[in-house]
């Protein structure tokens, strides 16, 4: 982890960017059909976060569960659709002139609606890794259940007061890239299931 902190320069002024049009024609539908209309395997995650990634904040979160499809972690491939995931992130990085250094994890999350809670309720604010990295969140389908980005960054403190930076609505083919040290959380979908692909990776913007 210390090595990762030292090798990854993260621009101080970068927070996030949203792109609705970076994939080739037909690939948005291909990703949707592959993961949601095929034999893709989903595993129930009994909790969204391990205790290592829980922090005390001013937000009282909704604690739920979700289904996961793991593509890649710790240099190991777990999904027959990993090549599709590689193509997705490569298209994004190429368009935005990002040098993709290493992918740490890629997984898909599937959350079902819960009409018993307010659609404004958020799940647990968190960071994916407690070191410098990018997070790329790709929305597989149109849904509710916004992604909330907060102004505050993880800094080894166990308690933090969070203020909202932005909300990104799920839309098929949309992706949001953000500084992985920014706290973030999804709101609870109330109308339709919410499916995303989550990448965490090392990289940097090329100077050109």
């Amino acid at each position: 982890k210390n090595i990762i902190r030292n090798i990854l320069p993260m621009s101080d002024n970068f927070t996030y960017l949203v792109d609705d049009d970076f994939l080739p024609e037909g690939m948005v539908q291909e990703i949707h059909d592959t993961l949601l209309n095929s034999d893709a395997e989903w595993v129930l995650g009994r909790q969204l976060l391990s205790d290592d990634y829980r922090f005390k904040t001013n937000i009282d979160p909704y604690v739920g569960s979700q289904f996961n499809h793991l593509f890649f972690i710790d240099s190991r491939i777990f999904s027959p659709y990993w090549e599709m995931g590689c193509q997705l992130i490569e298209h994004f990085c190429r368009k935005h002139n990002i040098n993709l250094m290493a992918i740490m994890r890629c997984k898909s999350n599937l959350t079902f609606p819960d009409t018993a809670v307010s659609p404004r309720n958020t799940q647990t604010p968190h960071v994916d890794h407690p070191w410098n990295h990018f997070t790329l969140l790709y929305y597989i389908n149109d849904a509710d259940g916004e992604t909330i980005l907060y102004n505050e960054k993880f800094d080894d403190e166990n308690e933090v007061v969070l203020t909202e930076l932005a909300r990104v609505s799920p839309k098929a083919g949309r992706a949001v890239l953000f500084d992985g040290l920014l706290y973030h959380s999804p709101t609870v979908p109330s109308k339709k299931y919410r499916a995303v692909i989550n990448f965490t990776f090392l990289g940097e913007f090329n100077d050109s």
Side-chain angles (χ1 to χ4, degrees):
K1 294 180 180 179
N2 290 333
I3 293 175
I4 292 175
R5 285 195 180 101
N6 291 334
I7 68 169
L8 177 61
M10 179 66 76
S11 173
D12 290 336
N13 58 7
F14 174 73
T15 53
Y16 75 99
L17 66 88
V18 178
D19 192 335
D20 290 352
D21 186 27
F22 67 96
L23 289 177
E25 183 178 356
M27 192 168 176
V28 172
Q29 191 64 45
E30 177 190 358
I31 293 171
H32 177 279
D33 292 347
T34 298
L35 291 174
L36 299 179
N37 292 341
S38 73
D39 296 327
E41 294 185 355
W42 294 86
V43 177
L44 177 63
R46 296 189 181 277
Q47 59 182 17
L48 298 177
L49 298 168
S50 70
D51 290 339
D52 292 339
Y53 293 87
R54 295 180 186 275
F55 311 98
K56 186 177 181 180
T57 74
N58 54 308
I59 296 172
D60 184 20
Y62 164 89
V63 179
S65 58
Q66 65 186 11
F67 286 86
N68 304 121
H69 178 88
L70 182 62
F71 288 87
F72 178 90
I73 192 171
D74 295 334
S75 300
R76 295 179 59 195
I77 297 171
F78 290 88
S79 171
Y81 311 118
W82 172 230
E83 181 60 32
M84 183 180 68
C86 286
Q87 292 176 16
L88 190 161
I89 193 171
E90 286 170 357
H91 281 297
F92 188 94
C93 288
R94 187 179 304 116
K95 177 176 178 180
H96 294 283
N97 206 22
I98 297 170
N99 177 25
L100 177 59
M101 297 162 60
I103 298 172
M104 291 182 286
R105 189 191 68 196
C106 176
K107 68 186 182 79
S108 195
N109 302 327
L110 178 62
T111 308
F112 287 94
D114 188 343
T115 57
V117 299
S118 167
R120 303 293 291 181
N121 281 15
T122 179
Q123 297 179 7
T124 305
H126 64 282
V127 295
D128 293 317
H129 309 293
W131 58 77
N132 284 330
H133 64 285
F134 283 109
T135 295
L136 178 66
L137 194 63
Y138 173 81
Y139 299 99
I140 299 173
N141 67 317
D142 296 338
D144 56 339
E146 300 166 306
T147 300
I148 304 176
L149 302 179
Y150 301 96
N151 289 291
E152 291 69 32
K153 289 187 179 183
F154 174 79
D155 61 0
D156 288 329
E157 295 293 329
N158 291 324
E159 185 171 350
V160 61
V161 176
L162 297 177
T163 59
E164 191 172 311
L165 169 65
R167 287 178 178 245
V168 183
S169 298
K171 175 185 175 184
R174 170 175 291 169
V176 54
L177 175 75
F178 54 92
D179 180 340
L181 288 180
L182 288 176
Y183 287 94
H184 56 280
S185 61
T187 59
V188 182
S190 62
K191 300 176 182 177
K192 188 177 181 180
Y193 60 82
R194 176 185 186 271
V196 302
I197 302 177
N198 177 291
F199 296 86
T200 59
F201 69 97
L202 306 180
E204 58 186 348
F205 289 99
N206 292 316
D207 295 327
S208 61

